[in-house]
Amino acid sequence: MINKDFFQALDALEKEKRIEQQQFIDALETGLAVAYKKENGKAKSVMVALNPQRSEIKIYAYQTVVEEVEDEEKQISLQDAKAIKNSYKVGDIVKEELSPKLFSRIAAQTAKQVIIQRNNEIQKELIKDEMNNKEGEIVKGIVRRVENDTVYLEMAGTQLEGVMLPSEQIRGEKYNVNDVINVYVKSVRTNQRGSTQVMVSRASNGFVKKLFEMEVPEIKANLVNIKRIVREAGYRTKMAVYAEDSSIDAVGSCIGQKGMRINSVVQELGGEKIDIIGYSQDMGEYISRALSPAKVIAVMLNPEEKSAKAIVEDDKLSLAIGKSGQNVRLAAKLTEWKIDVKPYSSLAGSDINNIGE
């Protein structure tokens, strides 16, 4: 069998679809073995030998010579082998070169189907491996349908299905069919039908972290480090950052000139508020910063209980607490301390004296 087009196609498979020739040969051998059995009513192992230099393909049915046959598909008795050639001994391989003309159109079609199926499986495995490598990264997805508030996407550049559960969506966002959106890859799983699904999110803290890595070169270069992110998706995010080099303004790096960097992230998140907090080992200072945008007069710490009382001006109390307690709740999550916000007017005289000190 001589076919230059076949070898050109094989090279294209290897270059364009990254399917190695050996994987294709394995699929070809499986397909031809099925075809051989269908044509002859019995099974034999099939070996395919390729010679790209001569654009030549040779196909062999083969069996191993044994004393006692246990697998007729793969083995032949010594007695039968000697009937073919007297020099055969146990352990030898009896090969029979097959001509493609021996295969009927139906058998050839069977081989083709097996090959196509195997190649599709190989491609899916390659794509799955590639997507596994993208866990924790941001990729693009095309919205294909929305069912029961769950968004199903086609992962761009693949045939894989992305799934964004309601809990992984930014509250208030609407997703329409054919929308192209950025999503954060949480995990890759196999569903009950055996299909590969990519679990994605726009509500995770990791999504915000990766957006800032994309916008802030100092984060990418590890000059600015993200200590912690807490978030109520669609409403507010607080992110604590720091730099080992004191000459680097960690907060300013994340905000950017005229707010360009942080505004790009806010735009991607649909207007979600973002507070960039400078991390401090001084817990009082850290808690004070975490309550941003409110200005804190003083913080009284109880290290044994990991609790703090933050004092603010009376007219800033609602700002410090936030709508439905959101601001103080996120500040507590960020610092991992219990925070109680109090107005200045609620202080007793002794407390006021302590603040003065």
Side-chain angles (χ1 to χ4, degrees):
M1 182 193 298
I2 299 176
N3 190 333
K4 291 184 179 180
D5 291 340
F6 171 82
F7 283 94
Q8 289 173 355
L10 199 57
D11 287 338
L13 280 170
E14 190 163 20
K15 291 175 183 177
E16 295 172 16
K17 298 185 179 180
R18 293 166 297 153
I19 298 176
E20 295 178 3
Q21 285 195 11
Q22 188 56 50
Q23 291 177 306
F24 182 82
I25 292 170
D26 291 344
L28 187 61
E29 288 175 347
T30 301
L32 291 173
V34 172
Y36 183 93
K37 183 175 182 179
K38 195 159 192 172
E39 186 73 13
N40 297 281
K42 60 181 180 178
K44 280 189 181 180
S45 296
V46 174
M47 177 190 304
V48 177
L50 302 184
N51 188 334
Q53 287 73 29
R54 298 177 61 183
S55 296
E56 184 179 68
I57 306 171
K58 289 190 176 182
I59 306 166
Y60 300 94
Y62 70 94
Q63 293 170 298
T64 303
V65 180
V66 294
E67 287 283 1
E68 186 176 345
V69 174
E70 296 178 355
D71 185 342
E72 292 185 356
E73 180 178 339
K74 298 180 180 180
Q75 298 172 337
I76 184 173
S77 69
L78 179 59
Q79 182 180 351
D80 290 342
K82 284 186 173 294
I84 299 171
K85 189 167 71 173
N86 192 52
S87 61
Y88 279 128
K89 59 184 183 297
V90 172
D92 285 347
I93 301 297
V94 176
K95 292 195 299 185
E96 173 192 358
E97 186 173 352
L98 305 175
S99 166
K101 293 179 181 179
L102 295 176
F103 295 116
S104 69
R105 183 173 57 83
I106 295 175
Q109 185 64 26
T110 300
K112 181 181 177 181
Q113 288 172 352
V114 171
I115 293 166
I116 291 172
Q117 180 181 352
R118 178 56 185 146
N119 282 335
N120 287 340
E121 289 171 358
I122 292 169
Q123 258 192 284
K124 287 179 180 178
E125 288 167 7
L126 288 169
I127 293 170
K128 182 180 178 181
D129 289 343
E130 182 179 339
M131 193 56 65
N132 271 321
N133 291 334
K134 289 187 177 179
E135 281 190 18
E137 299 292 335
I138 291 176
V139 300
K140 291 192 179 296
I142 306 165
V143 177
R144 290 308 185 202
R145 68 185 194 280
V146 181
E147 295 178 3
N148 299 323
D149 295 327
T150 296
V151 179
Y152 295 88
L153 310 100
E154 176 187 329
M155 305 311 294
T158 77
Q159 297 175 334
L160 298 183
E161 181 179 64
V163 180
M164 185 162 61
L165 300 172
S167 60
E168 300 297 341
Q169 299 167 24
I170 295 177
R171 192 167 299 183
E173 277 193 342
K174 299 297 180 184
Y175 308 101
N176 301 307
V177 173
N178 293 328
D179 282 352
V180 180
I181 60 175
N182 290 318
V183 291
Y184 178 78
V185 178
K186 294 192 75 176
S187 64
V188 180
R189 72 176 189 183
T190 302
N191 64 18
Q192 293 178 342
R193 301 190 305 274
S195 300
T196 300
Q197 288 182 322
V198 185
M199 306 307 294
V200 300
S201 175
R202 283 178 59 82
S204 68
N205 296 341
F207 186 50
V208 174
K209 181 179 180 181
K210 282 297 172 182
L211 287 172
F212 272 102
E213 284 182 5
M214 292 163 62
E215 290 293 333
V216 183
E218 291 87 344
I219 293 178
K220 192 82 171 177
N222 292 319
L223 297 174
V224 172
N225 301 286
I226 297 174
K227 177 70 174 178
R228 187 172 172 83
I229 296 176
V230 294
R231 185 182 183 205
E232 292 187 9
Y235 297 105
R236 190 173 222 107
T237 287
K238 287 184 183 288
M239 183 172 80
V241 297
Y242 69 97
E244 297 288 352
D245 186 342
S246 59
S247 68
I248 296 175
D249 179 0
V251 173
S253 297
C254 294
I255 293 173
Q257 190 174 13
K258 296 182 180 179
M260 287 182 62
R261 292 174 176 177
I262 193 172
N263 287 342
S264 294
V265 178
V266 168
Q267 185 176 2
E268 177 64 42
L269 300 180
E272 184 175 318
K273 292 181 175 62
I274 301 176
D275 300 325
I276 306 296
I277 312 298
Y279 172 73
S280 175
Q281 291 183 332
D282 181 331
M283 188 52 64
E285 180 66 24
Y286 188 31
I287 289 172
S288 179
R289 294 174 182 177
L291 286 167
S292 172
K295 298 293 184 182
V296 177
I297 298 173
V299 177
M300 291 177 277
L301 303 175
N302 184 337
E304 292 181 1
E305 297 181 2
K306 285 192 73 174
S307 64
K309 184 183 292 184
I311 310 303
V312 298
E313 296 286 357
D314 289 34
D315 61 351
K316 301 298 182 183
L317 181 64
S318 60
L319 182 63
I321 293 173
K323 187 177 181 180
S324 302
Q326 183 188 79
N327 195 58
V328 69
R329 183 167 59 248
L330 286 173
K333 288 181 179 178
L334 188 72
T335 60
E336 299 180 279
W337 275 55
K338 181 181 178 181
I339 302 173
D340 189 15
V341 180
K342 294 292 185 182
Y344 183 79
S345 62
S346 70
L347 296 183
S350 59
D351 290 331
I352 293 175
N353 291 334
N354 289 336
I355 289 174
E357 295 173 1

